[in-house]
Amino acid sequence: MDDDLVRCLVPGVLAVLVRRGADFAAAEDAVQDALVEALRTWDRQVPRDPRGWLVTVAWRRYLDATRAETARRRREGLVDAEPEPGPVAPGDDSLRLHFLCAHPSLSPSAAVALTLRAVGGLTTRQIAQAYLVPEATVAQRISRAKRALAGVRLTEPGDVGTVLRVLYLVFNEGYSGDVDLAAEAIRLTRQLAAAVDHPEVAGLLALMLLHHARRAARTDGSGALVPLAEQDRSRWDTALITEGVAVLQGALARDRLGEFQAQAAVAALHADAPTAAETDWVQVVEWYDELLRLTGSPVVRLNRAVAVGEADGGQAGLAALTGVDPGLPRYAAVSAHLHERAGRTAAAAQLYAEAAHRATSAAERDHLVKQAARLNSRAPAPPRPGT
Amino acid sequence: MAKYLLLKHYRGAPAPVNDVPMDRWTPEEVTAHLAYMRDFATKLEGTGEFVDGQALAPEGTFVRYDGEGRPPVTDGPFAETKDLVAGWMVIDVDSYERAVELAGELSAAPGAGGRPIHEWLELRPFLTEPPTVTE
């Protein structure tokens, strides 16, 4: 049996059951049952219409299970409620599933796990490997999420913003087992973009494509982090950049700016520069101004200071940093970079060391320690304490 | 979405509020304590926040390289060791606040007299992979 085929089919089958009025948890169980049945029988002969086959078997399982649980008298009602078989709109179905799996009542980790399983068609094991947690933990997250959704009917359009946040979380996850989470997030966002007409969906898709395009250049052969300015731009994926820019332009033309579009615009400006030195930093700062207006986020203010530093020099960057909360992650790293740019080497070295101490990822820490070491090895070493 | 290590110390943490060594408890109190720890882990499995947990023996050995072709040097345990880890639990939670909440709950395990120990647990975030979107 073809795993990829089944993975593509499962979400659609699940969506049909949910649309027909099946409770989400019961529908998921029924689809799993149908898959087991498929595993048993498809080796001999794959049906002509695998999706139709799965829908029929899963719906039958669902009805059986429901009948067993509820009083016999409800049986006819359920059978009557079954819509006539006919063409289904896959777009609408997968969209409903996206919204259900990103329901605001779910915690972020539960929404992510459920989306990957129900919309992405990943197995519990694949999700567990990707997030480096035990399979039982993911299984529990999913079953709790399903319980939380029991009885939830999506009669109105869901919240696009919540769905986008879940996909963004998936994309940002660096871990990977045999599933590439960044690629998976892009696949799901494409699917969402095909089903819903919203400039921010396009904005997120563009953002993902533009960042994914740089992936090969983000780390060197040994896995160490390579900062944007030092990346080998010939290793950027130009096809993804072209697509990302086109998607972004389409979204911007709609004149409904949102934070993902603005972030994608910054990424597009980087992608557009043949060398780091030729980056249009003035425009980058303008997009950060837009982002700041949209979000008021302190992290945006911090990133804006970096862009100001590049556009107008380290001193201006440090001025832009005043009033930014020093408790923010990466504050010390940004401050170190701006101090170095302003020619204050000793202070920069000390700040790089502090930033390394506060880094949240091993690759980031290693990079920052190297920066501190680079500056310290230029100047005579300060006397060690106690000597 | 973020992993934390909860470290339980034999020695090295500040003194707990209910500071009676375990060997002075009644057997029932020890049983209640162990049951609390077990139930806590089971509860986290249920919420999808459990990653791993193990207890460590108090005796450990220091080992170091002693040059080409020579066996590693071993030493210890050292009486002056300030910090002695008793065991760990790894959790995967949605926020730092949730990690603190769970550590607080674990610290309330019952001790002497059936009252919470109020022991100090060390909470350490894991270093992760850098996020894909950085600037």
Side-chain angles (χ1 to χ4, degrees):
Chain A
M1 199 170 69
D2 184 347
D3 270 7
D4 284 347
L5 169 72
V6 172
R7 200 174 130 197
C8 290
L9 290 175
V10 165
V13 174
L14 181 55
V16 170
L17 263 65
V18 171
R19 181 169 48 81
R20 285 184 183 177
D23 174 76
F24 183 81
E28 237 257 340
D29 291 342
V31 173
Q32 294 301 319
D33 281 351
L35 276 181
V36 172
E37 187 69 27
L39 275 170
R40 258 179 359 140
T41 58
W42 287 13
D43 272 345
R44 271 173 275 136
Q45 195 188 1
V46 177
R48 257 212 334 252
D49 175 7
R51 183 167 183 260
W53 189 98
L54 281 173
V55 169
T56 307
V57 173
W59 183 248
R60 207 182 292 142
R61 292 294 168 118
Y62 167 71
L63 290 182
D64 286 349
T66 313
R67 275 175 198 140
E69 273 173 27
T70 59
R72 194 166 278 275
R73 63 190 142 77
R74 290 199 47 213
R75 181 175 172 180
E76 278 75 26
L78 268 167
V79 177
D80 287 345
E82 182 177 353
E84 290 299 308
V88 291
D92 291 349
D93 283 341
S94 64
L95 185 57
R96 191 173 279 116
L97 214 52
H98 264 293
F99 284 132
L100 199 56
C101 294
H103 198 269
S105 65
L106 301 176
S107 71
S109 52
V112 162
L114 196 60
T115 298
L116 287 173
R117 161 98 165 245
V119 192
L122 301 191
T123 63
T124 307
R125 176 189 295 271
Q126 285 172 319
I127 301 169
Q129 280 175 351
Y131 286 93
L132 297 180
V133 293
E135 200 175 336
T137 295
V138 172
Q140 288 292 354
R141 274 182 202 169
I142 291 173
S143 62
R144 274 172 70 89
K146 289 199 294 190
R147 277 204 300 280
L149 292 181
V152 170
R153 289 270 185 279
L154 275 182
T155 49
E156 290 162 27
D159 175 11
V160 177
T162 315
V163 177
L164 294 182
R165 266 195 298 284
V166 168
L167 295 174
Y168 185 78
L169 282 178
V170 173
F171 183 73
N172 251 329
E173 198 60 53
Y175 291 133
S176 196
D178 65 345
V179 176
D180 178 346
L181 283 178
E184 184 63 19
I186 289 174
R187 190 176 76 84
L188 297 179
T189 309
R190 274 189 206 282
Q191 189 186 348
L192 185 69
V196 63
D197 185 27
H198 191 293
E200 274 294 84
V201 177
L204 179 62
L205 180 58
L207 178 67
M208 288 179 177
L209 292 170
L210 289 165
H211 275 278
H212 204 54
R214 301 208 289 260
R215 184 155 79 164
R218 286 185 75 217
T219 47
D220 67 13
S222 62
L225 213 57
V226 182
L228 182 57
E230 289 160 33
Q231 285 175 17
D232 174 359
R233 293 178 183 224
S234 69
R235 295 179 70 199
W236 289 0
D237 185 329
T238 47
L240 282 182
I241 290 175
T242 307
E243 189 194 352
V245 168
V247 170
L248 174 65
Q249 281 169 343
L252 290 175
R254 310 268 304 272
D255 209 20
R256 278 166 60 201
L257 190 63
E259 59 175 303
F260 287 126
Q261 292 169 75
Q263 277 192 61
V266 171
L269 285 168
H270 289 308
D272 192 42
T275 65
E278 290 169 83
T279 308
D280 186 347
W281 286 106
V282 174
Q283 247 204 92
V284 171
V285 172
E286 283 168 13
W287 277 111
Y288 273 120
D289 289 339
E290 288 286 359
L291 256 178
L292 198 56
R293 189 178 55 78
L294 286 164
T295 64
S297 150
V299 175
V300 170
R301 205 179 288 277
L302 181 65
N303 291 339
R304 185 182 168 278
V306 177
V308 169
E310 297 300 330
D312 302 324
Q315 206 56 49
L318 286 172
L321 203 56
T322 45
V324 180
D325 177 9
L328 284 175
R330 295 185 61 237
Y331 178 92
V334 167
S335 180
H337 175 73
L338 292 171
H339 273 87
E340 184 183 357
R341 236 180 159 279
R344 301 184 198 163
T345 311
Q350 203 172 349
L351 282 161
Y352 274 127
E354 186 193 326
H357 193 69
R358 288 169 55 186
T360 56
S361 86
E364 192 188 337
R365 180 197 57 194
D366 296 348
H367 172 71
L368 292 166
V369 166
K370 262 186 260 174
Q371 298 301 312
R374 173 176 57 81
L375 295 183
N376 281 330
S377 59
R378 277 191 203 160
R384 286 172 191 279
T387 56
Chain B
M1 313 288 293
K3 292 194 188 69
Y4 288 88
L5 175 66
L6 280 171
L7 278 181
K8 208 173 153 63
H9 294 257
Y10 281 116
R11 195 165 63 228
V17 173
N18 185 6
D19 192 9
V20 181
M22 212 166 176
D23 56 11
R24 307 287 169 78
W25 300 359
T26 68
E28 293 73 26
E29 285 163 2
V30 174
T31 305
H33 178 80
L34 297 176
Y36 185 96
M37 305 294 285
R38 200 174 48 242
D39 292 348
F40 182 79
T42 307
K43 192 192 82 171
L44 290 193
E45 281 171 20
T47 58
E49 294 172 310
F50 182 81
V51 178
D52 194 14
Q54 295 289 331
L56 292 172
E59 301 269 298
T61 308
F62 276 88
V63 181
R64 75 159 166 81
Y65 176 62
D66 197 38
E68 188 67 42
R70 297 157 71 105
V73 180
T74 63
D75 205 352
F78 296 96
E80 71 271 24
T81 298
K82 292 191 181 72
D83 196 53
L84 211 51
V85 175
W88 77 77
M89 186 179 286
V90 178
I91 55 177
D92 186 17
V93 292
D94 279 321
S95 65
Y96 171 73
E97 288 70 26
R98 174 65 177 159
V100 170
E101 182 187 337
L102 288 176
E105 201 177 306
L106 190 58
S107 163
R115 293 184 310 278
I117 309 176
H118 298 269
E119 70 181 320
W120 291 95
L121 296 169
E122 195 178 343
L123 182 64
R124 303 271 301 270
F126 274 60
L127 288 179
T128 61
E129 296 286 312
T132 306
V133 177
T134 43
E135 75 272 352

